[in-house]
Amino acid sequence: MKATDFRLDGLEPADDFSADLYDCTWVGDFKTLSQHDAGERSFIIAFDASATWGYPNMPNIVSFDIIRDSSQAAFGMRRAEHATFAFAQNWLVNRGCPPDALAPTIVAPTPADDLSVRVEDRIRRSGERLEVVGYQVIDGSDVEGWSIAVDRQDKDLPVRLFLETLQPDQFTYTVREGAFADHAAADNWLEKRSSPLPEAPEYRLDAEALRTSAALSRSAPLCPTGPAPAAPATPVNPPQSLGRSL
């Protein structure tokens, strides 16, 4: 990973918030995971190497939104900390970054299956729908991390657990989303693991649609192949209709 270049040489903070944020951002501690530049604006996802020096379970993935104004020799900075890469992407997408512009720019583990891709894409494109209220980061030799979020659009199963698991030998990872009625149920599952993760209804509906589509394709008559036969000759005296609707 290369050190993050914030491109702030010769620029001064445009406001007090940016000044305070910059003062507490040790730029040398950040390594770029993904970056999208749009003119004088940069959307950056970086790994914070200093996170392991502080309190346990400190978020180590940071999103930066930096806007430069070269005409005023000034910049604005906003940042947010996350436990997983997908939520870091979501924060930047909500601030105007194209959803497909934030792929990792480093060699990193890849999703192990299509479901992991779908879950991460749901997070990335969820807007303000998901509010993270708890997390466990992956750090060092850890192979599992999670984020608990509240789905503001689901009244029945609003508490969502996003579970990320690494497979170091395969250099892959999986992400799954579980749905719970309340925080107590989610905490109980995390503690006991006595049953499979309760699948979120969004994926159950998708799975049912796929099964229905597969069943229909198996039962549908095969279309004929090969050259079409010559058109039948028109009879001189066409038979009377048998009442079949065309």
Side-chain angles (χ1 to χ4, degrees), residues 4 8 11 28 36 46 50 55-56 68 71 78 80 107 132 134 136 139 172-173 179-180 186 211 229:
T4 301
L8 300 179
L11 304 181
H36 175 67
S50 69
Y55 297 101
R68 306 171 193 85
S71 65
R78 298 295 184 269
V107 177
V132 176
Q136 173 67 53
D139 193 18
T172 59
Y173 64 90
F180 300 87
R211 287 194 293 269

Side-chain angles (χ1 to χ4, degrees), residues 186-230:
D187 291 339
N188 183 67
W189 187 91
L190 276 170
E191 180 180 354
K192 296 183 178 179
R193 310 288 181 105
S194 58
S195 63
L197 182 67
E199 189 175 33
E202 291 84 354
Y203 308 104
R204 289 202 298 270
L205 293 174
D206 288 348
E208 290 170 3
L210 289 172
R211 287 194 293 269
T212 301
S213 176
L216 290 174
S217 66
R218 287 194 297 270
S219 61
L222 295 177
C223 294
T225 59

Side-chain angles (χ1 to χ4, degrees), residues 83-100:
T84 63
F85 190 79
F87 276 105
Q89 292 174 309
N90 167 262
W91 189 82
L92 291 176
V93 170
N94 291 346
R95 298 183 67 83
C97 184
D100 298 320

Side-chain angles (χ1 to χ4, degrees), residues 14-233:
D15 52 72
D16 291 341
F17 186 90
S18 297
D20 293 340
L21 191 57
Y22 181 74
D23 286 344
C24 66
T25 300
W26 298 88
V27 294
D29 291 331
F30 292 94
K31 310 296 181 183
T32 300
L33 301 177
S34 180
Q35 181 166 341
H36 175 67
D37 295 314
E40 293 197 301
R41 189 170 190 176
S42 292
F43 301 98
I44 300 171
I45 301 176
F47 176 76
D48 182 4
S50 69
T52 58
W53 305 344
Y55 297 101
N57 199 35
M58 290 289 290
N60 52 20
I61 299 176
V62 184
S63 300
F64 290 94
D65 179 10
I66 298 175
I67 303 176
R68 306 171 193 85
D69 184 349
S70 56
S71 65
Q72 301 293 323
F75 72 89
M77 176 185 285
R78 298 295 184 269
R79 62 175 277 183
E81 293 76 28
H82 315 274
T84 63
F85 190 79
F87 276 105
Q89 292 174 309
N90 167 262
W91 189 82
L92 291 176
V93 170
N94 291 346
R95 298 183 67 83
C97 184
D100 298 320
L102 289 168
T105 55
I106 62 168
V107 177
T110 57
D113 52 27
D114 290 340
L115 181 54
S116 297
V117 174
R118 290 165 54 205
V119 176
E120 287 194 305
D121 193 59
R122 162 169 153 77
I123 295 172
R124 182 166 47 249
R125 301 175 187 271
S126 62
E128 302 290 344
R129 175 173 178 169
L130 299 171
E131 179 188 1
V132 176
V133 295
Y135 53 80
Q136 173 67 53
V137 303
I138 296 177
D139 193 18
S141 60
D142 298 335
V143 295
E144 181 184 278
W146 47 262
S147 296
I148 292 180
V150 175
D151 186 336
R152 295 187 174 99
Q153 296 184 21
D154 193 320
K155 295 181 179 179
D156 297 324
L157 298 169
V159 178
R160 300 302 177 92
L161 171 63
F162 295 91
L163 186 69
E164 182 171 330
T165 307
L166 296 177
Q167 295 86 40
D169 294 340
Q170 289 78 37
F171 207 55
T172 59
Y173 64 90
T174 58
V175 185
R176 297 292 186 263
E177 179 181 355
F180 300 87
D182 51 43
H183 293 280
D187 291 339
N188 183 67
W189 187 91
L190 276 170
E191 180 180 354
K192 296 183 178 179
R193 310 288 181 105
S194 58
S195 63
L197 182 67
E199 189 175 33
E202 291 84 354
Y203 308 104
R204 289 202 298 270
L205 293 174
D206 288 348
E208 290 170 3
L210 289 172
R211 287 194 293 269
T212 301
S213 176
L216 290 174
S217 66
R218 287 194 297 270
S219 61
L222 295 177
C223 294
T225 59

